[in-house]
Amino acid sequence: MMSVIILGTGNVAQNLFEALLLNPEINMLKVVGRTHDSLSYFMERTKVSTDYNDLPKADIYILAVKDDAIKEVSDKINVSGLVVHTSGSVPIDALQKHERRGVFYPLQTFTAGKTIDFEYIPLCLEAKEDKDLQLLKSLGNKISSNVQEIDSEKRKILHVAAVFVNNFTNYMYTIGEAICEENQLDFSILQPLITETALKIEHLSPLEAQTGPAKRNDLETLHAHLQLLKNEKQRAIYKLLSNAIKAENEI
Amino acid sequence: MMSVIILGTGNVAQNLFEALLLNPEINMLKVVGRTHDSLSYFMERTKVSTDYNDLPKADIYILAVKDDAIKEVSDKINVSGLVVHTSGSVPIDALQKHERRGVFYPLQTFTAGKTIDFEYIPLCLEAKEDKDLQLLKSLGNKISSNVQEIDSEKRKILHVAAVFVNNFTNYMYTIGEAICEENQLDFSILQPLITETALKIEHLSPLEAQTGPAKRNDLETLHAHLQLLKNEKQRAIYKLLSNAIKAENEI
């Protein structure tokens, strides 16, 4: 039996809580948050507290808080167990107050009100001591089938790649939606295309999967599209990305 | 019973063929292509031909050929049925030789070797004559549950939006893959994130779904990412898209 305390109450904390609570080999001891309101999600199913100074003894303390709060919360708590954070971009040494420190980074995007099955979430783990890495792996393997050891340097790189495939991709959707709305078209008509674009690269490298006017150097369509786009920001993005795709052809 | 002839042999032709062939209310008469080789996919299951001058009588002739070949193939054939193309960006009048003309545009990305269920593909239909629009709708409804009437002007706009959510999104995946490969990281670790990013906007507007350092104006992470990115093209894209996302916050 492994005992865990979660510090934090946001989307990552909530999703992690669901995965840990369901597991019979994990003793979900407590969730600690800044306000009583923020703890309402958890309070009927586990102990909750706003007191960071009075933490029970646990095997692992998971700081599922915002990046810029990690150091602050870490410095505030006095514990002897393993302390980990869940961030993609913060180095392990933000937890330097604790000799036993690590990272438990679920490489996924979490949304309020939507619980995601941890089974398929890659968990990127790191720990200062090898025995703590083993402990983290043991925890990870109980809730996910995709557990990987990734150091702070590689995690930072993964996080940049994640910005492209997640944040920037979502922004492409935002532009698609804006174009539809400006022209009284229902954005939902693009959903099957969006889903298939994401799924097709399960079996095909994105480089091979590339299609479209820029890929086939169809200057007539590229020109016609720029005629249609009136928004300067959209035009700039259309030009830069089309030129980048065209340049890939020449490599 | 509705009789159909497909002209063209590529991914759209193949996917359309699968959907039409299976349907008991459709008489899939023939597939016509430029070469015998290109017809091998079809020849065991329907009649095939390389002769554009000897087409049997059919209710609908579907030109599933490349954009820049539509006019050429249209001008070559002499038929009295309804002639349609399947392109997102070509106007209906590329088929002007035919009094009875229309468009049957499946808004989806098709990949060689992967058959997609037409049931969920939005079919954007247009026809010059109302009775032909009804005929196209009748055909569309037999294979898809999402049939919409979209004129050439709106279809052109949809096609631009599709370039953003499909071609440009796929390019974001390409950059993510390149960053992983340069750093000996396995790109497949990003697949669950990519899938969830696409699925989450089924229930959330992409504008609301936006996350990441640019969205939260986290200048420290933005700066750290630019330090990591050495490729000038990737840096230019990172900057332009981050600035665009930051600007959305200010609206």
Side-chain angles (χ1 to χ4, degrees), chain A residues 109 111 114 183 196 200, chain B residues 109 111 114 154 183 196 200:
Chain A
T109 172
T111 312
K114 186 179 181 204
N183 294 281
E196 175 62 17
K200 91 196 277 188
Chain B
T109 173
T111 312
K114 187 180 180 201
K154 291 229 189 270
N183 294 281
E196 175 63 18
K200 87 196 279 186

Side-chain angles (χ1 to χ4, degrees), chain A residues 108-109 111 114 154 157 159-160 167 170-171 177 183 189 191-192 196 198 200 205-206 210-212 225 248, chain B residues 108-109 111 114 122 154 157 159 167 170-171 177 183 189 191-192 196 198 200 205-206 210-212 225 248:
Chain A
Q108 186 49 285
T109 172
T111 312
K114 186 179 181 204
K154 289 230 189 270
I157 288 160
H159 190 243
V160 180
N167 303 151
N170 184 77
Y171 191 61
E177 186 181 43
N183 294 281
I189 197 173
Q191 183 69 50
E196 175 62 17
K200 91 196 277 188
S205 147
Q210 189 67 55
T211 57
H225 283 177
E248 295 279 349
Chain B
Q108 186 51 285
T109 173
T111 312
K114 187 180 180 201
K154 291 229 189 270
I157 287 160
H159 190 243
N167 303 152
N170 184 76
Y171 191 61
E177 186 181 42
N183 294 281
I189 198 174
Q191 183 70 49
E196 175 63 18
K200 87 196 279 186
S205 148
Q210 189 66 55
T211 56
H225 283 176
E248 295 277 351

Side-chain angles (χ1 to χ4, degrees), chain A residues 36-186:
Chain A
H36 275 289
D37 271 2
S38 68
L39 290 161
S40 62
Y41 181 89
F42 311 91
M43 56 178 40
E44 285 181 9
R45 293 183 289 163
T46 191
K47 285 184 194 152
V48 298
S49 163
T50 56
D51 187 355
Y52 291 86
N53 298 313
D54 181 30
L55 299 173
K57 193 170 161 40
D59 294 318
I60 305 180
Y61 299 80
I62 303 179
L63 274 58
V65 298
K66 289 209 176 94
D67 285 7
D68 55 11
I70 290 173
K71 187 165 185 318
E72 182 196 331
V73 174
S74 165
D75 287 348
K76 193 151 63 174
I77 61 175
N78 295 299
V79 296
S80 59
L82 172 59
V83 177
V84 300
H85 72 63
T86 59
S87 164
S89 54
V90 174
I92 187 172
D93 284 340
L95 309 172
Q96 64 194 0
K97 176 180 173 182
H98 306 277
E99 191 53 38
R100 294 183 59 199
R101 56 185 179 263
V103 178
F104 190 89
Y105 169 47
L107 183 41
Q108 186 49 285
T109 172
F110 298 99
T111 312
K114 186 179 181 204
T115 304
I116 299 181
D117 189 351
F118 257 74
E119 170 77 22
Y120 305 105
I121 299 180
L123 298 178
C124 306
L125 309 183
E126 180 182 7
K128 191 159 171 276
E129 303 291 338
D130 188 59
K131 74 168 187 343
D132 286 333
L133 184 64
Q134 298 316 316
L135 184 65
L136 272 187
K137 279 186 183 171
S138 166
L139 176 68
N141 284 323
K142 291 187 204 307
I143 58 174
S144 167
S145 59
N146 190 349
V147 168
Q148 308 206 20
E149 187 183 338
I150 306 271
D151 65 26
S152 287
E153 216 32 62
K154 289 230 189 270
R155 182 160 38 81
K156 223 155 54 177
I157 288 160
L158 262 187
H159 190 243
V160 180
V163 166
F164 278 92
V165 304
N166 169 12
N167 303 151
F168 291 167
T169 285
N170 184 77
Y171 191 61
M172 295 301 113
Y173 303 159
T174 304
I175 294 177
E177 186 181 43
I179 292 172
C180 285
E181 281 181 357
E182 283 156 23
N183 294 281
Q184 292 81 48
L185 282 158
D186 187 349

Side-chain angles (χ1 to χ4, degrees), chain B residues 6-244:
Chain B
I6 294 178
L7 299 101
T9 57
N11 294 331
V12 175
Q14 291 181 13
N15 271 275
L16 202 49
F17 174 73
E18 298 299 337
L20 297 176
L21 194 70
L22 280 176
N23 195 292
E25 296 174 72
I26 293 167
N27 188 6
M28 182 63 239
L29 288 180
K30 199 180 222 179
V31 176
V32 185
R34 275 183 297 187
T35 64
H36 275 288
D37 271 2
S38 68
L39 290 161
S40 62
Y41 181 90
F42 311 91
M43 55 179 37
E44 286 182 9
R45 294 183 289 163
T46 192
K47 285 184 193 152
V48 299
S49 164
T50 57
D51 186 355
Y52 290 86
N53 298 313
D54 180 29
L55 299 173
K57 193 171 159 45
D59 294 317
I60 306 180
Y61 299 81
I62 303 179
L63 274 58
V65 299
K66 289 210 176 89
D67 285 7
D68 54 12
I70 290 173
K71 187 165 185 319
E72 183 196 330
V73 174
S74 165
D75 286 350
K76 192 150 63 172
I77 62 176
N78 295 298
V79 296
S80 60
L82 173 60
V83 176
V84 301
H85 72 65
T86 59
S87 164
S89 54
V90 174
I92 187 172
D93 284 341
L95 308 172
Q96 65 196 358
K97 176 180 173 182
H98 306 277
E99 190 54 37
R100 294 184 58 201
R101 56 187 179 264
V103 178
F104 190 87
Y105 170 47
L107 183 41
Q108 186 51 285
T109 173
F110 298 99
T111 312
K114 187 180 180 201
T115 305
I116 299 181
D117 189 351
F118 257 74
E119 169 77 21
Y120 305 106
I121 299 180
L123 298 179
C124 306
L125 309 183
E126 179 182 6
K128 191 159 172 277
E129 303 290 338
D130 188 59
K131 75 168 185 345
D132 287 333
L133 184 64
Q134 299 314 317
L135 184 65
L136 272 187
K137 280 186 183 172
S138 166
L139 176 68
N141 284 325
K142 291 188 204 306
I143 58 174
S144 166
S145 58
N146 190 351
V147 168
Q148 307 205 21
E149 186 182 341
I150 306 272
D151 66 27
S152 286
E153 217 32 63
K154 291 229 189 270
R155 183 161 36 82
K156 222 157 52 178
I157 287 160
L158 262 187
H159 190 243
V160 181
V163 166
F164 279 91
V165 304
N166 169 14
N167 303 152
F168 291 167
T169 285
N170 184 76
Y171 191 61
M172 296 301 114
Y173 303 159
T174 304
I175 295 178
E177 186 181 42
I179 293 172
C180 285
E181 281 180 358
E182 283 157 23
N183 294 281
Q184 292 81 48
L185 283 158
D186 187 349
F187 176 60
S188 71
I189 198 174
L190 291 169
Q191 183 70 49
L193 177 64
I194 285 170
T195 310
E196 175 63 18
T197 303
L199 292 179
K200 87 196 279 186
I201 59 159
E202 284 184 12
H203 306 287
L204 208 62
S205 148
L207 199 60
E208 298 168 63
Q210 189 66 55
T211 56
K215 171 67 188 176
R216 57 177 190 271
N217 210 10
D218 174 351
L219 301 181
E220 200 180 328
T221 300
L222 291 172
H223 184 71
H225 283 176
L226 284 171
Q227 293 283 102
L228 273 178
L229 291 170
K230 302 295 173 210
N231 178 308
E232 273 312 314
K233 204 161 71 176
Q234 291 169 3
R235 290 170 60 82
I237 292 168
Y238 190 95
K239 281 185 206 168
L240 184 66
L241 295 181
S242 292
N243 285 334

